[in-house]
Amino acid sequence: MQSLKYFLPTLVLATASFEAYAQDDDKLFVEAYAGAISADFGSDFANDFTLVGTRFGYNFTSILSIEADLSTGTNTQSRSTGFVFPRDTVPAIVGVEKVDEQIESVFGVFGKATLPINDRFSGYARLGLAEIKTGMTRDSQSNSEIGTFRFENTYNEYNAALGLGATFDITDNIYARADYTRYGLKPDIFEPEFDSATIGAGFRI
């Protein structure tokens, strides 16, 4: 989260410096959305989660804006695997491990550039920085003297994020929005790559 504190003022200044290129009324906006996010851990495994969230933003011009996303996962993904640990004495340690994973929160700050297509339809691209917080619980059962044990942990991932999307104006103030965002560039077991797709509705204040 410390990285976002330095990133946000820089992003605001960079976006504001382009204000002279387009003229429009300054407007705040708020959105609610739902969708899915996929966590890709490279060749090891991938999981899909559902999301609900809200978004707040400010339109500097009709082209340039800044926005912040905050969402949370609504489901838990589980998988079970068997394991065998050979040892000098007999018998070997044999057991089953169950892993539960969930998305606890996704927070991101983005600069957005919009390209109007017609009076109601627009496309956009956005670039920013995001923090993704995931939770994991491991329950293991084995024939060893340890028996059953539980391991819980929370992981925070800080990633650059790039998104594309579109909006459709239902009225002057109410609109529908759909977007796709990629978080991270190089997936592996320690730094997974996340992809989200969401649809929602917004209101210009």
Side-chain angles (χ1 to χ4, degrees):
M1 188 65 70
Q2 190 69 24
S3 299
L4 294 179
K5 293 180 181 178
Y6 295 102
F7 179 76
L8 180 56
T10 303
L11 186 60
V12 171
L13 291 173
T15 306
S17 67
F18 290 97
E19 185 174 359
Y21 288 95
Q23 300 296 325
D24 195 14
D25 294 334
D26 294 343
K27 291 182 179 180
L28 297 170
F29 60 89
V30 59
E31 301 173 3
Y33 59 87
I37 185 168
S38 175
D40 181 5
F41 295 85
S43 60
D44 295 275
F45 57 88
N47 276 332
D48 296 319
F49 304 89
T50 53
L51 284 178
V52 292
T54 186
R55 182 180 291 120
F56 300 90
Y58 183 82
N59 294 316
F60 290 98
T61 69
S62 60
I63 297 176
L64 298 173
S65 59
I66 187 172
E67 60 188 26
D69 293 8
L70 179 62
S71 58
T72 185
T74 62
N75 67 317
T76 299
Q77 292 284 13
S78 301
R79 67 180 190 277
S80 296
T81 57
F83 60 85
V84 177
F85 291 141
R87 57 182 183 178
D88 296 336
T89 60
V90 178
I93 299 176
V94 179
V96 176
E97 180 180 67
K98 179 185 177 184
V99 179
D100 295 325
E101 295 173 307
Q102 63 183 5
I103 300 292
E104 296 188 1
S105 65
V106 180
F107 175 71
V109 179
F110 298 85
K112 184 175 70 173
T114 300
L115 176 64
I117 307 301
N118 55 40
D119 291 343
R120 292 187 176 273
F121 184 74
S122 299
Y124 64 83
R126 62 181 193 155
L127 178 66
L129 183 67
E131 177 197 44
I132 300 179
K133 189 175 182 180
T134 60
M136 178 183 293
T137 301
R138 296 175 180 266
D139 288 304
S140 299
Q141 294 181 330
S142 72
N143 63 344
S144 71
E145 60 275 8
I146 298 176
T148 301
F149 67 94
R150 167 169 285 203
F151 170 77
E152 297 182 4
N153 204 353
T154 299
Y155 302 90
N156 290 58
E157 297 290 340
Y158 297 92
N159 292 304
L162 175 65
L164 298 172
T167 60
F168 180 79
D169 290 350
I170 301 171
T171 69
D172 288 342
N173 295 100
I174 300 174
Y175 58 94
R177 170 170 170 167
D179 63 31
Y180 164 82
T181 304
R182 167 160 290 187
Y183 307 86
L185 302 175
K186 190 176 181 181
D188 58 46
I189 189 63
F190 299 107
E191 296 182 4
E193 180 182 83
F194 296 88
D195 297 273
S196 71
T198 63
I199 57 174
F203 182 76
R204 299 183 183 96
I205 302 173

